[in-house]
Amino acid sequence: MAGKRKLSERPGGGSSDVQWCFSQVKGAMDDDVAEADIISTVEFNHTGELLATGDKGGRVVIFQQEPESKNQPQCRGEYNVYSTFQSHEPEFDYLKSLEIEEKINKIRWLPQKNAAQFLLSTNADKTIKLWKISERDKRPEGYNLKEEDGRYRDPNSVTTLRVPVLRPMDLMVEASPRRVFANAHTYHINSISVNSDHETYLSADDLRINLWHLEITDRSFNIVDIKPANMEELTEVITAAEFHPDQCNTFVYSSSKGTIRLCDMRASALCDQHAKMFEEPEDPNNRSFFSEIISSISDVKFSHSGRYMMTRDYLSVKIWDLNMETRPVETYQVHEYLRSKLCSLYENDCIFDKFECCWNGNDSVVMTGSYNNFFRMFDRDYRQDVTFEASRENSKPRSVLKPRKISTGGKRKKDEISVDSLDFNKKILHTAWHPLDNIIAVATTNNLYIFQDKLN
Amino acid sequence: MEVDRGAMECAVDAQSLISMSLMKIHSSRTQRGGIKLHKNLLVSYVLRNARQLYIKEKYAEIYRMQQYEEVMAVCSGIQELDPLEPLEPQGAEDAEPEQPVRAAGCGEESRAAGGREPEPPYYRSCCMEDQFSQNCNKTTVLDLDTHVVTTVENGFLHQDCCCAAAPQCAPGAAARKRKVDSAACSPDAEEPSDYTAGRKRLKREECSGADCSPDASNISNLISIFGSGFSGLLSRQADLEQVCSKQALASLGAWTRAIVAF
């Protein structure tokens, strides 16, 4: 796209030289949030042109970036609604008398093969759907056997023949479910990941990981099963899984115990034996009632290079080198000041919040969310971190985001926010970074904020 | 597990954490979308951690009372509460709290005749059902539908035995010989499944309830006990309010060594 700077031309995207500006906010403005509007997943496609969100009501909204205008080549295009559809409906499992949540847990885009776009969406249980999003801007006119309104003509009344022609029409974006992959999971699905072979994908629930072929809906292969013979012996569950970005035989899955296992599908059909296990020994000084909870990994993401992976647990982000299993190469504290508040966070259930994390396009910066609508960026090259807030107050177009500071000590400086005044109902769990540019999408409870770096 | 209580800003004590955790497990049954396995597993860890600390404090409490008859009464009360919990050894120091139960249960006997093994009845656990058996064949399960605690005939549940990590150590035998060697069993630091049975019954979407055989005669009602904050166990309710310090725990160790010496 004209005017778009490559990330390699600018160092990082870290706080040293990049100024982040507000660009857009999507969603209702009221404070009264309907449960169905709560955003549950955010994902850019592979070019960054499309941005998809899923919500608790089972809806998917796709935004498309407008092409940059020739008048203002320095301005990036805005994201506007491209398509909206209902992906999952509330269901009832009659066998177990369970209401199945229609909340969209994950959306993953498929690499684009033709004019249409494809994405996979999964709800909390049971089904994964492959959606085709296609544009239509022409329609045929002049059928011989059909009237314009679609009624069939009596063949005897046809006296002449003509060739139908395509006439332009208003652009219509259609989303149609092309595949429904159902009934392969007993437990709640937490992850889906498309393989680099573009033919298969995996889906993971609490205890199992299944491998699917995109064309085949009636069966899948089980590749990981950690369910113990006796459920009372259960000690950990799978929390996230992802395919390696280049090696189609490699995937990782994280557990509630804070471990990550890397598996090679060439080794055996059932990958219960891991090829590598990444685990950092626990610091005995930090032992508490809640040690097990805060070490549970909520997200795992490979770097674009495939050399590293990042994990998110309750208080920190860790970067692992795939060649070193004994400890992470980098650890970033997201909100260490919460360590002394774990009991209250347990009481109000916040300690169970599952934060996600993401890499920027050249793997130099990582980002994750926090409370009070804060989100954090960690620049790996410059060893700097910054905290920003997504709020309506900072929502003037192109206004520069001011870094926020939390005061942990007794004395609170001006402009600092004390830990006790943080709003734990305002949490940013889902963030996404444009794969090729410094544009980020940050989801608060029911709003989607888009920020971009300031172009000079 | 040593809990750094100083790190906790809020006033947390094991009791409130236990009741909080049970409430969470109970309310998760009515949440939309079905029982969340992951969350309930994490809650069970908190429950286990809190219960371990509570039981340690309980034994320190016993030490302070220094009345063996009263200790015996308490022990039977605790035992009914935790029939599976011989306090798995996590380290040499952690193994000690178990000693006073056994030794105290012997009462005069063990002090007088050092080689005698404690009598089992006041300390029923799965390990002691059959001294020579390698397997535990009973477990206690709380059914949150009926609020009844039942003993389940089950298969091998090695985590619930005191010596999960040491196959060479027969669980029953170790329980009896503990006073001889406090580290009879190799420590097993990871005892994640040693949680209150309520979680087991609740979180499993497929219940192997076919094995349940109610045995109500000696079983107390867990919910009522937890509801009253364990105060139903002891006659001296006021003492429950006090939190045991590390000193109490340390002196507990000295006391048990003294008992062993006899």
Side-chain angles (χ1 to χ4, degrees), chain A residues 147-163:
Chain A
E147 304 284 358
E148 290 304 324
D149 61 7
R151 279 180 304 145
Y152 278 96
R153 281 186 184 162
D154 177 11
N156 298 324
S157 69
V158 175
T159 53
T160 58
L161 287 177
R162 55 188 170 160
V163 176

Side-chain angles (χ1 to χ4, degrees), chain B:
Chain B
M1 182 205 82
E2 288 297 318
V3 173
D4 185 3
R5 299 177 71 87
M8 292 291 163
E9 225 186 50
C10 56
V12 57
D13 64 284
Q15 257 178 272
S16 62
L17 268 186
I18 288 172
S19 42
M20 214 190 291
S21 303
L22 287 175
M23 287 292 299
K24 286 186 193 296
I25 292 175
H26 188 65
S27 64
S28 80
R29 307 186 81 212
T30 52
Q31 271 169 10
R32 199 156 171 263
I35 296 164
K36 292 186 172 65
L37 185 63
H38 184 196
K39 183 177 176 186
N40 280 286
L41 182 66
L42 295 178
V43 169
S44 74
Y45 277 109
V46 176
L47 200 53
R48 173 198 70 142
N49 295 340
R51 195 170 66 129
Q52 283 173 351
L53 185 69
Y54 179 82
I55 287 171
K56 275 188 191 171
E57 292 173 357
K58 193 56 53 206
Y59 285 125
E61 183 74 24
I62 292 166
Y63 162 65
R64 285 201 311 228
M65 285 192 280
Q66 296 207 17
Q67 291 182 20
Y68 292 107
E69 293 82 7
E70 196 155 359
V71 166
M72 283 184 68
V74 166
C75 284
S76 57
I78 291 174
Q79 175 202 319
E80 285 181 10
L81 174 66
D82 298 313
L84 297 178
E85 171 57 280
L87 261 200
E88 70 281 1
Q90 290 170 341
E93 58 186 353
D94 290 342
E96 288 159 12
E98 196 174 350
Q99 310 244 2
V101 180
R102 251 168 269 290
C106 300
E108 310 297 318
E109 270 185 328
S110 78
R111 280 195 297 166
R116 282 280 299 276
E117 291 174 339
E119 295 301 319
Y122 57 84
Y123 196 82
R124 273 181 301 141
S125 80
C126 61
C127 303
M128 298 178 78
E129 286 300 325
D130 181 1
Q131 180 181 1
F132 306 105
S133 166
Q134 293 277 349
N135 300 337
C136 292
N137 54 11
K138 279 189 186 172
T139 183
T140 300
V141 178
L142 167 70
D143 190 329
L144 285 178
D145 288 309
T146 59
H147 292 181
V148 166
V149 177
T150 59
T151 303
V152 175
E153 302 293 330
N154 227 328
F156 181 67
L157 290 170
H158 44 265
Q159 282 92 340
D160 288 325
C161 299
C162 49
C163 300
Q168 72 277 8
C169 169
R176 290 172 189 239
K177 290 181 187 166
R178 183 165 307 283
K179 64 169 174 48
V180 176
D181 178 9
S182 66
C185 298
S186 34
D188 184 355
E190 288 294 305
E191 287 293 352
S193 66
D194 191 13
Y195 37 75
T196 310
R199 182 197 81 78
K200 299 181 199 176
R201 183 57 79 218
L202 172 68
K203 73 166 175 62
R204 283 184 299 159
E205 302 200 357
E206 68 234 65
C207 169
S208 59
D211 293 330
C212 294
S213 58
D215 176 14
S217 55
N218 297 325
I219 307 295
S220 356
N221 187 318
L222 264 178
I223 286 290
S224 66
I225 289 175
F226 287 145
S228 62
F230 294 94
S231 55
L233 282 178
L234 293 176
S235 52
R236 288 195 204 169
Q237 194 157 349
D239 289 325
L240 275 179
E241 310 300 322
Q242 297 173 23
V243 173
C244 297
S245 64
K246 281 190 179 178
Q247 284 172 333
L249 286 173
S251 50
L252 176 68
W255 179 69
T256 58
R257 281 191 286 275
I259 294 295
V260 168
F262 281 104

